[in-house]
Amino acid sequence: MSKCQEIARQFLSAWFQTEETFALLARYPQASRTLQRIVRLPDLAKSNYLDWLAFENCRGANIYFSINPLSFGARKRTKNAVAAAKGLYLDLDSDGDRKLAVLCESNAVPSPTAVIHTSMGKHQVIWRVKGFTIPEQEVMLKELAETFGGDRACTDCARVFRLPGFLNRKYSPAFAVTLDMRATQLEYLPSDFRLELPTIADVQPHHIDRPRSLGSRTRSESDWGWVMAQLNAGIPAQEIVQTLANIRSDKPNPHYYAHRTVDIATAVQWVRKGVDRECVIERLKERNAALSTDSAVEIATTALSFVQRVRILHSKEN
C-alpha cells in the first residue's frame, strides 16, 4: 500500500468504528462531477476503495470523507441519513495559521482530536464528540465558526472534509493533505465546549434600555434576557438586532451574533404561543429574506428543543 493510502487508512480506522458507515467521495471540480461510495471500514481492503481513490486522485479528483457516520444501509449522504453527531469541526480557510494558534490557546474549547492541513495556511479542525443531538451539533458548529473565524458554510451535519494522505488538486502544483493527530483517545462532551451560546431564561415583560450584567450570568445569558424583554415590550426586531450588534462589538461578527440571538428568541416566543414548526420556519423566512431555508429549519428546531427542555425542568420542579 502506498504511503498516501496508508495515511488515509490509519486516519479512517482511528476516526470510525468498525460497524459505522461513512461516505468516500472523489470530486472533479472542472467537470462538476462527483463519485461517491458508502462504505464501512472492512470494505477498505476488501473492495480496494483506497486504490480507487488513489486512481481518481491521480486523474485530478479531490478526495473527501464524511465527518459523521451514516445510517446502516444508507445509499446517499443526506442530512436525513446522518446516524449520529460524531464530530465538531471548523474550516479555517483564511488567515488559518493565526486562527489555529488562537484556537489552541483558548480555554473555551478542548484540544482538537486532529487538524487536517489542506494547503499552506489552511486547516480543518475536528473534535470527536458524544452527547450532541444533530440540531445541537449544528448550533455549536455555527458558534465555533463565529467565535474563531471559520467558514460559516461548514456547519451542516452532512459535511465532508478532505481525506489526509491524498493531494489537494485545487492548486498547481498539488498540495499534499497532511494530518496532525492530537487527543485521539478522547470523546468530548457538550460541557467541554464553553462558548457563549444563547440560553433559555425566564424574563418578565418589562422594558430596559440595554443589555446589562446580572449577578453571575454570562454576557450571552444577559443578552438573551434583554432580547426577550425587548420583544415582549414590542420593540421591532431589527432595532433590537442593531442595538445588540453595537453593544457586542467584542464579538468576531456582531451582526451575525445579534441576528441569530434575536431569531432564536423570536422563534421561542412563537413556539410558546403554540405556533407549529413549519409556520415558525415560514415566519422566520418572511421576516428575514436573507435567511436560508436550512438556517430557518435549524433555528426552529433549536427553539422547539429549548422550549421542551424548559417545560421538562418546570415539571420536575413542580
Side-chain angles (χ1 to χ4, degrees):
M1 181 178 292
S2 70
K3 182 178 179 180
C4 73
Q5 292 168 269
E6 179 60 20
I7 292 171
R9 186 196 65 77
Q10 289 182 1
F11 170 74
L12 292 172
S13 297
W15 185 253
F16 292 105
Q17 299 295 320
T18 303
E19 69 277 6
E20 288 180 326
T21 302
F22 55 95
L24 295 173
L25 295 85
R27 286 179 176 170
Y28 287 88
Q30 293 80 7
S32 298
R33 176 170 170 250
T34 298
L35 305 174
Q36 178 173 271
R37 302 290 186 270
I38 308 298
V39 304
R40 303 169 81 184
L41 284 177
D43 299 329
L44 294 181
K46 182 175 63 177
S47 300
N48 294 323
Y49 279 111
L50 293 176
D51 285 341
W52 166 68
L53 291 176
F55 173 74
E56 300 294 348
N57 194 215
C58 288
R59 297 180 63 195
N62 287 304
I63 308 303
Y64 302 86
F65 73 102
S66 62
I67 288 279
N68 287 327
L70 306 177
S71 301
F72 179 75
R75 294 178 178 271
K76 296 182 179 180
R77 180 184 50 83
T78 62
K79 293 184 71 169
N80 290 337
V82 173
K86 187 181 186 71
L88 294 180
Y89 32 92
L90 190 62
D91 194 350
L92 303 177
D93 59 358
S94 64
D95 196 16
D97 290 340
R98 182 188 65 81
K99 291 175 181 177
L100 180 61
V102 170
L103 182 150
C104 291
E105 291 296 322
S106 174
N107 292 323
V109 294
S111 177
T113 301
V115 179
I116 302 171
H117 307 290
T118 61
S119 64
M120 292 297 295
K122 296 188 178 184
H123 316 286
Q124 295 179 328
V125 184
I126 58 177
W127 293 266
R128 192 201 312 275
V129 299
K130 64 179 180 180
F132 284 88
T133 64
I134 297 299
E136 288 169 342
Q137 178 198 42
E138 293 192 333
V139 168
M140 183 62 75
L141 291 174
K142 293 180 189 301
E143 187 67 14
L144 284 168
E146 183 208 347
T147 300
F148 295 106
D151 183 358
R152 292 181 180 84
C154 182
T155 55
D156 63 281
C157 64
R159 187 72 179 184
V160 296
F161 271 14
R162 291 187 183 273
L163 184 57
F166 293 99
L167 295 175
N168 181 346
R169 291 291 187 179
K170 182 178 179 180
Y171 304 97
S172 181
F175 187 92
V177 179
T178 59
L179 175 68
D180 179 9
M181 292 294 286
R182 301 187 179 192
T184 56
Q185 302 303 315
L186 297 177
E187 285 185 304
Y188 295 115
L189 299 172
S191 58
D192 293 317
F193 295 84
R194 297 174 292 278
L195 301 177
E196 291 189 52
L197 292 170
T199 58
I200 291 296
D202 289 331
V203 295
Q204 298 302 318
H206 60 278
H207 178 77
I208 52 181
D209 292 329
R210 57 182 283 130
R212 60 187 180 185
S213 177
L214 298 175
S216 61
R217 282 186 179 183
T218 66
R219 289 197 67 183
S220 284
E221 288 172 332
S222 296
D223 294 345
W224 176 264
W226 175 79
V227 168
M228 293 295 284
Q230 293 287 283
L231 290 171
N232 287 335
I235 307 301
Q238 192 54 46
E239 183 179 329
I240 301 172
V241 168
Q242 189 59 54
T243 302
L244 183 58
N246 290 339
I247 293 169
R248 292 310 306 269
S249 58
D250 59 303
K251 286 285 187 178
N253 189 332
H255 279 89
Y256 171 83
Y257 172 80
H259 271 292
R260 179 167 178 78
T261 303
V262 173
D263 282 343
I264 294 176
T266 305
V268 165
Q269 287 195 332
W270 289 334
V271 172
R272 285 175 171 170
K273 292 177 181 178
V275 179
D276 64 44
R277 178 174 175 273
E278 296 305 316
C279 288
V280 170
I281 294 169
E282 290 305 314
R283 289 188 183 186
L284 286 169
K285 292 170 63 179
E286 288 173 4
R287 198 187 68 181
N288 183 359
L291 194 67
S292 68
T293 299
D294 284 346
S295 294
V297 169
E298 183 266 317
I299 289 170
T301 303
T302 299
L304 282 165
S305 177
F306 282 170
V307 171
Q308 289 168 357
R309 288 181 185 178
V310 170
R311 288 171 179 169
I312 291 171
L313 288 173
H314 284 177
S315 65
K316 290 181 179 178
E317 290 173 358
N318 297 331

